[in-house]
Amino acid sequence: MSELSLPQRVARAVGESPLSEQVAVAQEFVYGPVIDWARRSPFHTSVLGHSVHPLLTDLTLGCWVSASILDVAGGSEARRSATLLVGAGLAAAGPTAIAGAGDWAELTGTERRIGAVHALGTDVAVFLLLGSLIARMRGRHTLGVRLGFAGNAIVAGAGFLGGHLALNRGTARRTTAGQ
């Protein structure tokens, strides 16, 4: 039997961690009413044959990463566009989170714990990117860029866990009636 790669060992450690279970309990406490609603929302559907959450993450993360690219390569004339992209990513984060919460509500065990840590990471990233947007709108561009980079770094780690759930553990699959 082959040895697990470092990323696989990280995902396994998160899924087996008692601290991850505490995070899951806290997520249920804080977001309980939203989670119940999310399960019944149009963002939690089987019409595509898979969850819409991964699709929506592409929009959210695409905006935020594009903003950072403009921050690095676009110069001062790209600041307004980068600010717009951070805001657009934040607007897309709402439906993305609702879709993810609906998916998470159906998970148990290891997947539930990994999903809770994934959600915590994305929560932290959203707050950092909200801070980035506020800083940018107040003319504190350098602070906004730094907060954006920090948010993107954290959401990359959270995205790894989400990708592990969807792709390695198959949690994004849906079956429609009659299949």
Side-chain angles (χ1 to χ4, degrees):
M1 185 160 134
S2 67
E3 186 176 315
L4 294 176
S5 68
L6 177 60
Q8 291 170 325
R9 290 193 313 262
V10 168
R12 177 180 279 177
V14 169
E16 294 175 355
S17 170
L19 181 58
S20 297
E21 181 59 30
Q22 292 174 352
V23 170
V25 170
Q27 292 278 3
E28 284 179 339
F29 177 77
V30 172
Y31 296 115
V34 174
I35 291 169
D36 290 339
W37 178 82
R39 288 181 80 174
R40 298 183 308 273
S41 79
F43 296 108
H44 186 69
T45 178
S46 62
V47 73
L48 298 176
H50 59 80
S51 170
V52 298
H53 178 69
L55 174 70
L56 294 173
T57 63
D58 290 350
L59 177 61
T60 306
L61 300 178
C63 288
W64 292 340
V65 170
S66 296
S68 290
I69 291 169
L70 288 176
D71 289 334
V72 169
S76 60
E77 59 273 1
R79 288 180 177 178
R80 185 172 178 200
S81 297
T83 300
L84 177 66
L85 285 167
V86 171
L90 285 166
T96 303
I98 292 167
D103 293 351
W104 183 74
E106 297 180 350
L107 301 180
T108 60
T110 299
E111 287 85 8
R112 178 178 174 271
R113 291 186 291 275
I114 293 170
V117 174
H118 163 74
L120 177 61
T122 58
D123 289 350
V124 170
V126 165
F127 282 111
L128 286 167
L129 283 141
L130 178 59
S132 173
L133 180 64
I134 292 168
R136 291 166 190 267
M137 293 176 71
R138 291 184 175 174
R140 299 188 64 197
H141 181 72
T142 300
L143 176 61
V145 169
R146 288 179 179 160
L147 289 169
F149 285 160
N152 277 328
I154 290 171
V155 83
F160 159 72
L161 291 174
H164 175 77
L165 284 173
L167 301 172
N168 291 352
R169 307 219 35 132
T171 60
R173 288 189 208 113
R174 297 283 185 276
T175 57
T176 56
Q179 283 187 327

